[in-house]
Amino acid sequence: MTDTPNPRFHDVTARFVSENDSYDFKATGPVRRAAVHDRHGRLLGHVWTDDRQAAGFTRINDPEPDMAYVRGQMNRILTKAYRAGIPASELLNPALYVPDFELRLAS
């Protein structure tokens, strides 16, 4: 192998083209969660957070076919919250999920 650079790539400069646009998916401690229900009261899954830097949505094990949209919608909500600078500790605020979903906190 030689040290001669490939002429196709000799002027290529590495650039950062992507940035994190949502919360980390790896919790660094215990997590809190809240149940997410649709407008008909059906359980869709749970929003969770470690109150530090991680958060996400976990759907129920056996969703009905018409629940397929939920994961994408929840990811959009979490991404929007992240970009707005909302800390992970505030993600169990039910106001973030209305009018499409109802967040039910454990009592």
Side-chain angles (χ1 to χ4, degrees), residues 17-95:
V17 296
S18 178
E19 65 181 59
N20 189 12
D21 63 350
S22 194
Y23 302 93
D24 195 353
F25 291 107
K26 199 175 220 181
T28 59
V31 299
R32 295 184 306 133
R33 69 181 191 159
V36 178
H37 294 263
D38 67 9
R39 292 178 181 176
H40 306 288
R42 297 182 301 173
L43 177 64
L44 303 170
H46 293 85
V47 173
W48 61 268
T49 178
D50 69 354
D51 289 331
R52 293 173 190 82
Q53 63 190 19
F57 173 74
T58 305
R59 69 179 183 175
I60 60 173
N61 287 334
D62 193 18
E64 295 178 27
D66 68 332
M67 295 177 179
Y69 75 97
V70 175
R71 185 182 305 269
Q73 185 70 10
M74 294 305 293
N75 285 340
R76 281 189 286 280
I77 291 169
L78 292 173
T79 298
K80 185 177 176 183
Y82 181 84
R83 289 180 179 166
I86 296 173
S89 61
E90 295 180 24
L91 290 176
L92 298 186
N93 177 353

Side-chain angles (χ1 to χ4, degrees), residues 91-105:
L91 290 176
L92 298 186
N93 177 353
L96 294 172
Y97 304 92
V98 294
D100 297 320
F101 304 106
E102 178 186 351
L103 205 65
R104 296 183 187 171
L105 304 172

